[in-house]
């Protein structure tokens, strides 16, 4: 946070992978988000740049988008997002695609959340839609670790089903807080 209601997040990284045969793959990214956080929700804008190069072939990707969350009461969050990606390769071949999505989340208890989301993306004449149902439970207000799991159906071509489970560590504040507070006052996710 750099003001009472304004904040920012930055990201960056670099990887060098040995591609064999004396060549290597360089991958790096830089980007960030600027957001406004109020009592009833958050609004954010984000831009990320990715670059990959190997043996004289360069690929550049720029993602940009906007999103928002509305806290429709103490137990409900409604979120929407949308944006685009532009891909360019050395020697031409630029292409642009877009995405949009929405999510509803219900906090059954302060440390138990159920959510459902729908995401749509389109790129180079093909599109994909995914529907996801997820549950997340945080063990304790003083131990910022949660377990989550769910199911996704991805409709691209024939359609795929995905079952997932994971562990999340919340790094926003060591003095406690329920899952609902950590999600609404923490990183953009």
């Amino acid at each position: 946070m750099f003001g009472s209601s304004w904040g920012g997040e930055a990201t960056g990284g670099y990887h060098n992978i040995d591609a064999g045969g004396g060549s290597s793959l360089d991958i790096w990214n830089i980007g960030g988000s600027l957001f406004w956080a109020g009592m009833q929700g958050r609004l954010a804008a984000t831009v990320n740049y990715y670059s990959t190069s190997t043996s004289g072939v360069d690929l550049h990707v720029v993602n940009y988008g906007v999103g928002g969350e509305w806290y429709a009461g103490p137990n409900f969050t409604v979120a929407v997002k949308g944006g685009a990606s532009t891909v360019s390769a050395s020697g031409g071949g630029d292409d642009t695609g877009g995405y949009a999505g929405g999510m509803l989340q219900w906090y059954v208890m302060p440390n138990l959340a159920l959510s459902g989301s729908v995401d749509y993306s389109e790129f180079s004449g093909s599109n994909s839609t995914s529907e996801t149902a997820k549950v997340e439970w945080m063990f304790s207000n003083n131990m910022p670790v949660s377990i989550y799991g769910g199911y996704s159906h991805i409709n691209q071509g024939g359609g795929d089903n995905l079952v997932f489970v994971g562990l999340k560590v919340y790094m926003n504040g060591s003095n406690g807080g329920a899952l609902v507070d950590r999600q609404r006052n923490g990183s953009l996710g």
Side-chain angles (χ1 to χ4, degrees):
M1 299 301 290
F2 53 81
S4 61
S5 298
W6 289 93
E9 296 178 1
T11 185
Y14 174 77
H15 304 280
N16 180 280
I17 300 170
D18 181 6
S23 66
S24 64
L25 181 64
D26 288 318
I27 305 169
W28 64 274
N29 67 290
I30 188 166
S33 299
L34 179 65
F35 65 91
W36 174 83
M39 293 294 293
Q40 291 298 311
R42 295 192 279 193
L43 297 172
T46 186
V47 175
N48 289 291
Y49 173 79
Y50 305 90
S51 176
T52 303
S53 61
T54 183
S55 304
V57 177
D58 296 322
L59 179 67
H60 307 281
V61 179
V62 179
N63 292 352
Y64 37 93
V66 295
E69 293 178 335
W70 172 47
Y71 309 140
N75 296 356
F76 293 97
T77 297
V78 179
V80 294
K81 63 182 175 183
S85 296
T86 301
V87 177
S88 61
S90 57
D94 295 357
D95 207 350
T96 299
Y99 66 90
M103 188 237 358
L104 298 174
Q105 185 156 288
W106 173 40
Y107 294 96
V108 180
M109 299 184 300
N111 284 331
L112 178 64
L114 300 176
S115 64
S117 62
V118 176
D119 291 296
Y120 173 83
S121 64
E122 184 175 298
F123 195 80
S124 293
S126 65
N127 61 56
S128 174
T129 304
S130 66
E131 302 89 16
T132 301
K134 180 177 144 183
V135 62
E136 182 174 356
W137 175 60
M138 193 168 77
F139 306 111
S140 159
N141 287 5
N142 296 319
M143 187 170 96
V145 177
S146 70
I147 187 167
Y148 65 90
Y151 166 80
S152 286
H153 173 75
I154 303 163
N155 186 9
Q156 184 176 19
D160 293 310
N161 296 303
L162 176 69
V163 176
F164 58 90
V165 66
L167 195 66
K168 189 184 286 187
V169 177
Y170 286 91
M171 305 298 281
N172 57 330
S174 58
N175 47 346
L179 178 66
V180 62
D181 300 321
R182 291 182 182 274
Q183 289 184 341
R184 290 180 172 183
N185 297 310
S187 68
L188 295 175

